[in-house]
Amino acid sequence: MNELMKDLRREHYGLRRLLALLEAKLHMLEQDIPPKYSLIADTIDYIESYIERYHHPKEDIIYQYIIDNDLDRTKDIANIMKDHKTISQTTKPLKATLDAILLDIIVPKETTIEQLRAFIQTEQAHVELEDNLIFPMVESLIDDKGWKIIAQSVPKQDEDPLFGERVRAEYQDLFIRLKEINSN
């Protein structure tokens, strides 16, 4: 398997862990148990700042290569690129809601539940589609020469601030919570 695809799959694994954490917080909200909103906000912040800034652009470079080389016969690749924009649109209202809650502004619980549920469902569906359909398709369509061309187009990226060698200070709580979940 190509190194870039290994990175993308590793990042999806981390994203699935984060979505499971968000699901647990969603269940708490649905049961009238107040979750730690700062942890939810940190999770959304990580997804927005790392996944949307580094992960999706890497995928988009790969997907654009497939489109540019007329390899996207089913148009699945073009459609998945549109998903990246949709995901960004579901992130913004949730982030605004969480920011308001953290500023002690009263937000209807139903609004938070609805936005969090929509975000989780959108992300999960996207990851599942990529893992089960798009990534295998990508691996079958791109040869070694193509991967070399793509590798030259992928910009150098910062180390993953949550799953990398060093966890950034702003994600320490999130990292500890993920470790706790894994040990249970």
Side-chain angles (χ1 to χ4, degrees):
M1 178 186 300
N2 175 274
E3 284 303 313
L4 187 53
M5 289 305 299
K6 284 181 188 176
D7 285 348
L8 293 175
R9 288 186 184 279
R10 179 187 46 76
E11 291 165 356
H12 273 200
Y13 172 75
L15 182 55
R16 280 192 301 276
R17 289 175 59 198
L18 293 170
L19 293 172
L21 174 68
L22 289 175
E23 275 189 312
K25 299 304 176 191
L26 175 61
H27 293 308
M28 289 175 70
L29 271 168
E30 291 170 335
Q31 296 170 3
D32 288 325
I33 302 168
K36 187 174 180 183
Y37 286 103
S38 62
L39 191 62
I40 297 172
D42 287 349
T43 304
I44 300 303
D45 178 68
Y46 168 82
I47 291 170
E48 182 182 51
S49 66
Y50 186 79
I51 298 296
E52 290 186 20
R53 188 176 300 147
Y54 295 107
H55 178 81
H56 286 163
K58 284 188 290 190
E59 290 176 338
D60 288 344
I61 289 167
I62 294 168
Y63 300 160
Q64 194 62 53
Y65 174 86
I66 290 172
I67 291 168
D68 290 348
N69 288 279
D70 199 28
L71 303 172
D72 186 21
R73 309 252 186 262
T74 62
K75 304 300 178 212
D76 289 328
I77 300 295
N79 290 333
I80 202 76
M81 287 180 76
K82 291 176 190 170
D83 275 3
H84 290 171
K85 290 176 181 58
T86 302
I87 289 169
S88 179
Q89 296 308 314
T90 62
T91 305
K92 289 176 185 174
L94 175 59
K95 190 168 173 95
T97 295
L98 293 169
D99 288 345
I101 291 169
L102 292 173
L103 291 172
D104 292 328
I105 297 170
I106 296 174
V107 175
K109 181 181 78 169
E110 293 75 24
T111 300
T112 308
I113 289 172
E114 181 182 303
Q115 290 175 347
L116 185 56
R117 183 180 298 119
F119 176 82
I120 293 167
Q121 289 173 344
T122 301
E123 286 282 351
Q124 285 175 331
H126 180 78
V127 169
E128 288 300 314
L129 181 62
E130 284 185 329
D131 284 348
N132 296 321
L133 176 70
I134 301 299
F135 285 0
M137 183 188 307
V138 163
E139 291 173 323
S140 72
L141 293 174
I142 301 175
D143 59 16
D144 289 340
K145 180 182 172 192
W147 284 116
K148 287 178 185 169
I149 293 167
I150 290 167
Q152 293 171 353
S153 301
V154 175
K156 182 167 173 30
Q157 70 182 55
D158 293 338
E159 181 181 355
D160 189 321
L162 177 61
F163 297 109
E165 298 262 333
R166 282 190 241 151
V167 178
R168 281 199 205 144
E170 64 263 33
Y171 298 120
Q172 285 294 327
D173 266 0
L174 183 54
F175 180 76
I176 290 166
R177 184 67 184 121
L178 288 171
K179 278 180 68 170
E180 289 170 358
I181 291 170
N182 279 351
S183 64
N184 291 337

